[in-house]
Amino acid sequence: MTSTPTASLGLAALGLVLGLALASPSAYATEKKSVTEEILEILKASGTISDAKYNELLERAEAEESAREEAAQAAAAPAEIPTDSSAKDDPTGWTVKWSNGTKIERNDGEYKLKFGGRVMLDMAQIWADRNLRQTLATTNRDDNGTGFGVEIRRARIFAQGTLYKRFFFKASYEFGGTRNGGNAVEPKDIYMGMKKVGPLGTVRIGHMKEDFSLEEMTSSKYLVFMERGLPAVFNPVRNWGINAYNTFLDGRLRYALGGYRQTNESGFGFGGSNTTSYHITGRLTGLPYWEDGGKKLIHLGLNYSHQFTSSGGATGLGYGERPEAHLALRYVNTGRLSAVPVDAVDLFTTEFAANWNSLAFQSEWQAALLDRRGADDVLLWGIYGQAGWFITGEHRNYSQKYANFGRTQLNSTFDPRAGTWGAFEIAARVSYLDLNDHDIRGGRLFDVTAGVNWYLWPNVRIMANYIHSILMGRAAGASPGKGDGDLFQMRLQLDF
């Protein structure tokens, strides 16, 4: 049969409409299919196409739509690539997958390995009034600490894993520059351990953080602010030792206890010294209130560390702290307490934290009691309190295993095409540090900090902090003196 010009134009129009419909983005798949069926129905009713042609085109449209849906689902699925031809249910098969880090696991759980790291890029603008500039220039070789600065705050890589389900290890190193020039590579967590060691729970040995202070035990990746509060100056941080921790009462009670040998930044310690050298550190935390998987909780904690010194006493001990900005100078500083040897130091910390859905509160009081030979004991102390609010509805994620805060689970990620922008958190903190007691006059510092966090993805965020810092020195005319400073800093952070 010879086709008429009207029929030819109709078929051409049909081809154009079907081509456009089938080539459009998959986000409108349901609407396109309905429109395609409607067009085919109209052409069939007008006699432009036969019943056979109608059925053929309809089947093709449905097949192509199904193929697009399968491809979209495959693209959205988490990356998981078997490393050999073994099926996933084969216990001896291996799987490589990405979950905020590269993980290699044997399917039976006997062996696990994870690689990752973190990068934090900081910038800061620092202002100071005349009094503060003069004080800092006097104590820091004419450097008054004001101006604009940038730094690689952290660039860290790590590998960790589990062997035979119970034996585990971790090795992490940090790369970064120093204020006075030069680069440094520092070992961070370098340890091995065993799980399920009776009532002891987990036992570790090596170079690691002493289990002390809620904020210190919360990774820098998950802090609300760019830096920890002023009282963190007392935290013993990482040393070489052995510790154990475990949870009881369905995770509502946790203990940690360890013995440590103080080391330098390279994890090295040998022989006697004139600084504190051996520590016994314990931490006890509890959750008197726990609901909705941690969306609502109250956390309480007590910490104690006794730091023994060598027989000569600690004459090199001292405390100094920046105004919660790593690019700033130390506004308060006792210097080396060399006038009177310190025979021992006792550290105390009390912890409080609470979640109420998207609201979070946290506070710690910390103190160092110095037992001095032939002189009055000295008490140095500090306190901070902070509050945060996820305006997009998320909440801080609490870990019962470690009694700290971890990665925030986002309700949406950064995708402007879909109208989502990630998560936003606003926060405020007040900190106070007193390094004055008896003849020790390191100064007193008071900080008020406001912060904004933008979580684009679970492992990428932009942070901004504004700090007003008030230095309250010792006697008038002495150094450190008094003065006010203002600091604005930002960070681009990635962990993987």
Side-chain angles (χ1 to χ4, degrees):
M1 180 177 68
T2 303
S3 63
T4 64
T6 301
S8 297
L9 289 172
L11 289 173
L14 171 64
L16 179 61
V17 170
L18 290 177
L20 290 174
L22 297 176
S24 299
S26 60
Y28 303 96
T30 303
E31 181 181 354
K32 287 183 297 183
K33 184 175 181 181
S34 177
V35 171
T36 301
E37 289 178 346
E38 186 175 348
I39 293 172
L40 291 175
E41 290 287 349
I42 293 171
L43 294 175
K44 175 184 174 184
S46 66
T48 304
I49 60 175
S50 64
D51 290 348
K53 193 66 175 178
Y54 167 80
N55 292 330
E56 177 189 347
L57 292 172
L58 185 60
E59 290 178 2
R60 286 173 55 189
E62 291 175 346
E64 292 182 12
E65 175 61 25
S66 177
R68 284 198 304 275
E69 290 180 353
E70 291 178 1
Q73 292 174 358
E80 188 167 301
I81 309 169
T83 57
D84 59 22
S85 59
S86 302
K88 286 187 62 177
D89 56 359
D90 178 2
T92 61
W94 291 82
T95 300
V96 178
K97 62 182 179 181
W98 164 266
S99 178
N100 295 313
T102 301
K103 296 182 178 180
I104 305 174
E105 299 181 7
R106 202 167 84 167
N107 296 335
D108 60 4
E110 284 281 334
Y111 309 104
K112 298 179 180 180
L113 186 62
K114 181 179 179 180
F115 301 95
R118 70 190 74 171
V119 178
M120 299 177 183
L121 306 178
D122 285 10
M123 54 150 282
Q125 176 66 51
I126 303 174
W127 303 271
D129 67 9
R130 180 180 179 182
N131 289 336
L132 182 56
R133 290 197 306 269
Q134 289 179 343
T135 296
L136 295 176
T138 300
T139 57
N140 293 280
R141 298 181 181 179
D142 297 326
D143 182 358
N144 63 24
T146 61
F148 177 79
V150 295
E151 71 169 335
I152 302 171
R153 179 64 178 93
R154 293 180 179 90
R156 193 176 300 179
I157 58 173
F158 76 87
Q160 66 182 53
T162 304
L163 307 177
Y164 317 110
K165 290 187 178 180
R166 295 180 59 195
F167 185 82
F168 62 89
F169 64 91
K170 183 176 181 180
S172 63
Y173 293 86
E174 184 159 310
F175 304 82
T178 63
R179 188 179 185 90
N180 298 321
N183 294 315
V185 178
E186 293 183 8
K188 292 298 181 179
D189 294 317
I190 312 286
Y191 59 74
M192 294 175 280
M194 186 81 71
K195 302 177 183 178
K196 300 180 181 179
V197 185
L200 291 178
T202 299
V203 178
R204 299 182 297 177
I205 184 169
H207 189 253
M208 57 194 156
K209 280 187 177 181
E210 299 188 24
D211 209 317
F212 189 90
S213 165
L214 171 60
E215 193 172 38
E216 190 63 55
M217 295 310 297
T218 296
S219 169
S220 61
K221 298 182 292 185
Y222 311 130
L223 294 175
V224 176
F225 298 91
M226 290 173 59
E227 300 296 336
R228 296 178 172 89
L230 296 176
V233 66
F234 301 121
N235 293 338
V237 197
R238 288 178 175 85
N239 284 302
W240 205 103
I242 180 170
N243 86 337
Y245 62 87
N246 202 359
T247 60
F248 307 92
L249 304 177
D250 295 326
R252 302 285 287 269
L253 182 68
R254 180 185 184 273
Y255 95 95
L257 182 65
Y260 306 88
R261 168 63 159 89
Q262 184 169 311
T263 64
N264 62 18
E265 293 180 347
S266 298
F268 177 84
F270 181 79
S273 70
N274 289 328
T275 61
T276 49
S277 50
Y278 294 98
H279 306 170
I280 296 178
T281 302
R283 181 172 179 235
L284 182 66
T285 59
L287 294 166
Y289 179 66
W290 175 271
E291 295 289 343
D292 298 334
K295 288 185 178 180
K296 299 176 182 178
L297 66 85
I298 293 176
H299 161 103
L300 301 175
L302 292 172
N303 302 254
Y304 173 72
S305 179
H306 184 77
Q307 302 183 339
F308 300 90
T309 66
S310 60
S311 59
T315 58
L317 180 69
Y319 300 97
E321 185 61 302
R322 300 176 174 89
E324 300 174 347
H326 193 257
L327 278 161
L329 295 171
R330 288 181 169 84
Y331 284 13
V332 289
N333 199 337
T334 63
R336 290 194 174 187
L337 304 178
S338 56
V340 180
V342 177
D343 288 328
V345 178
D346 292 292
L347 301 178
F348 307 89
T349 293
T350 61
E351 306 173 6
F352 168 81
N355 275 0
W356 190 261
N357 296 322
S358 57
L359 290 172
F361 306 91
Q362 184 174 315
S363 178
E364 291 183 89
W365 173 85
Q366 298 183 245
L369 179 63
L370 280 58
D371 178 9
R372 301 195 300 171
R373 184 179 306 168
D376 291 332
D377 292 349
V378 169
L379 179 66
L380 310 176
W381 65 281
I383 190 171
Y384 75 87
Q386 67 185 50
W389 176 43
F390 279 97
I391 61 178
T392 45
E394 290 79 4
H395 69 279
R396 294 192 79 190
N397 186 24
Y398 183 90
S399 167
Q400 291 178 295
K401 181 179 180 180
Y402 299 109
N404 63 5
F405 289 98
R407 188 182 307 279
T408 298
Q409 303 300 314
L410 307 187
N411 294 331
S412 64
T413 58
F414 180 70
D415 188 357
R417 294 174 300 178
T420 59
W421 299 89
F424 291 88
E425 179 185 25
I426 57 175
R429 177 170 64 192
V430 177
S431 294
Y432 176 78
L433 179 63
D434 187 347
L435 299 184
N436 288 348
D437 193 29
H438 295 294
D439 56 313
I440 305 301
R441 314 301 292 179
R444 294 176 290 133
L445 189 62
F446 179 77
D447 280 0
V448 178
T449 303
V452 177
N453 295 319
W454 179 14
Y455 299 78
L456 288 84
W457 293 277
N459 59 334
V460 179
R461 67 169 165 167
I462 297 173
M463 308 176 71
N465 290 177
Y466 181 84
I467 306 162
H468 181 65
S469 188
I470 303 172
L471 173 62
M472 298 169 280
R474 45 185 174 181
S479 179
K482 299 181 179 181
D484 293 358
D486 292 278
L487 308 92
F488 176 75
Q489 56 184 358
M490 293 189 69
R491 171 177 295 168
L492 177 59
Q493 172 181 313
L494 164 70
D495 70 90
F496 56 92

